[in-house]
Amino acid sequence: IAGITQAPTSQILAAGRRMTLRCTQDMRHNAMYWYRQDLGLGLRLIHYSNTAGTTGKGEVPDGYSVSRANTDDFPLTLASAVPSQTSVYFCATTVSHSSGANVLTFGAGSRLTVL
Amino acid sequence: GQNIDQPTEMTATEGAIVQINCTYQTSGFNGLFWYQQHAGEAPTFLSYNVLDGLEEKGRFSSFLSRSKGYSYLLLKELQMKDSASYLCAVRDRDYQLIWGAGTKLIIKP
C-alpha cells in the first residue's frame, strides 16, 4: 500500500540520548516535512526538504537535524534528547489535489517521550 | 505575529449540525485548509478554500471570507465517527502553513 511509513511508533528515551526517527515514502514525492504536535498547540514545522539533496529549517529546528540522501527517506535526528522534545512527530509529503492545492499527507506518527 | 484561533472544544448531538469557526491573522493569504484528526491518528485532509464562498463536499462544507479573516467548517447529519479534532491551517504569503491548535468535537448520542 502506497504511503508514508514512520518508525518507531512510540519510544521512551532517556535525556541526553541520541534518537533517529525514520520516515520512508513510496510515492516518489519531492517535498517532505517533519512536524511536531503538542497538546494545545498547532502543528509546528521542524525541518523540510523540497527535493533530494536539499533541506531547510522550519519554525522549531533547534535540537533537530535531518538529511535527504534520496527521494524516499527523510530521517529526523535528535542529537541529545531533552524532555521538551517529548511530542508526537509526523512526517508528511505534499500531494496535488483536484482543487489545485498542494495538500499535506501524513505518516501515522511517532510518539516520543524523553525522561 | 501570525495567529489562528479556533474553539478548543465543542459538543454536539448525533444527527445535528455543528459549525466550527476559525479566524486568522496572517501575513498574506494563499489558501485555507481543514483537516480531521481522530485521536491517536494522523491528520487527514478535508477541504481547501482559496476564494470567498462555500465549498460543499457531502456532509461537510467549508466557508471562507478573506476580508474578515474567517472560515467555518459545517458538519451536517453528525455521526459518532465525526468525533475528532478539526484543524484549521492557513498558507501565508510565503506559502508557509500556519496551524490552529484544533477544535475537539465531541458527539453525543
Side-chain angles (χ1 to χ4, degrees):
Chain A
I1 298 176
I4 302 170
T5 302
Q6 290 187 234
T9 302
S10 71
Q11 181 77 44
I12 299 173
L13 188 67
R17 298 297 295 269
R18 180 183 179 89
M19 178 72 194
T20 295
L21 303 180
R22 300 183 298 279
C23 175
T24 300
Q25 56 122 347
D26 60 4
M27 298 175 285
R28 308 298 293 171
H29 292 161
N30 284 322
M32 297 187 75
Y33 309 84
W34 274 106
Y35 283 91
R36 60 177 289 174
Q37 187 174 41
D38 302 289
L39 196 63
L41 298 177
L43 285 161
R44 292 182 290 170
L45 182 65
I46 305 170
H47 284 286
Y48 65 92
S49 169
N50 289 326
T51 189
T54 69
T55 62
K57 294 181 179 180
E59 180 186 356
V60 289
D62 293 344
Y64 305 95
S65 63
V66 291
S67 61
R68 188 84 184 280
N70 57 62
T71 297
D72 298 343
D73 301 300
F74 190 42
L76 177 73
T77 297
L78 290 68
S80 179
V82 295
S84 62
Q85 292 178 311
T86 293
S87 188
V88 180
Y89 292 86
F90 288 104
C91 180
T93 69
T94 48
V95 179
S96 293
H97 187 259
S98 57
S99 63
N102 285 331
V103 171
L104 283 171
T105 184
F106 293 88
S110 294
R111 181 176 296 274
L112 184 65
T113 302
V114 183
L115 301 175
Chain B
Q2 307 199 89
N3 193 50
I4 308 283
D5 287 316
Q6 309 178 232
T8 302
E9 186 174 297
M10 299 181 70
T11 302
T13 303
E14 190 177 14
I17 299 173
V18 70
Q19 177 175 312
I20 302 173
N21 295 326
C22 170
T23 58
Y24 62 89
Q25 302 87 37
T26 57
S27 302
F29 178 85
N30 278 299
L32 184 144
F33 298 80
W34 284 97
Y35 284 78
Q36 181 189 59
Q37 185 176 24
H38 286 102
E41 299 183 7
T44 56
F45 170 74
L46 280 180
S47 69
Y48 170 70
N49 296 71
V50 66
L51 300 176
D52 291 351
L54 189 68
E55 294 282 342
E56 296 185 82
K57 190 187 299 183
R59 294 189 299 114
F60 292 9
S61 303
S62 57
F63 172 83
L64 173 67
S65 169
R66 288 172 296 171
S67 63
K68 295 182 179 177
Y70 168 70
S71 172
Y72 67 73
L73 181 69
L74 191 72
L75 291 73
K76 302 176 184 176
E77 301 170 14
L78 285 169
Q79 301 176 10
M80 298 303 292
K81 67 179 182 179
D82 297 329
S83 291
S85 289
Y86 291 86
L87 314 181
C88 175
V90 172
R91 186 162 283 159
D92 68 12
R93 68 181 173 206
D94 297 321
Y95 286 84
Q96 302 302 309
L97 265 180
I98 313 301
W99 293 83
T103 299
K104 182 178 181 180
L105 178 64
I106 299 168
I107 310 295
K108 295 187 174 180

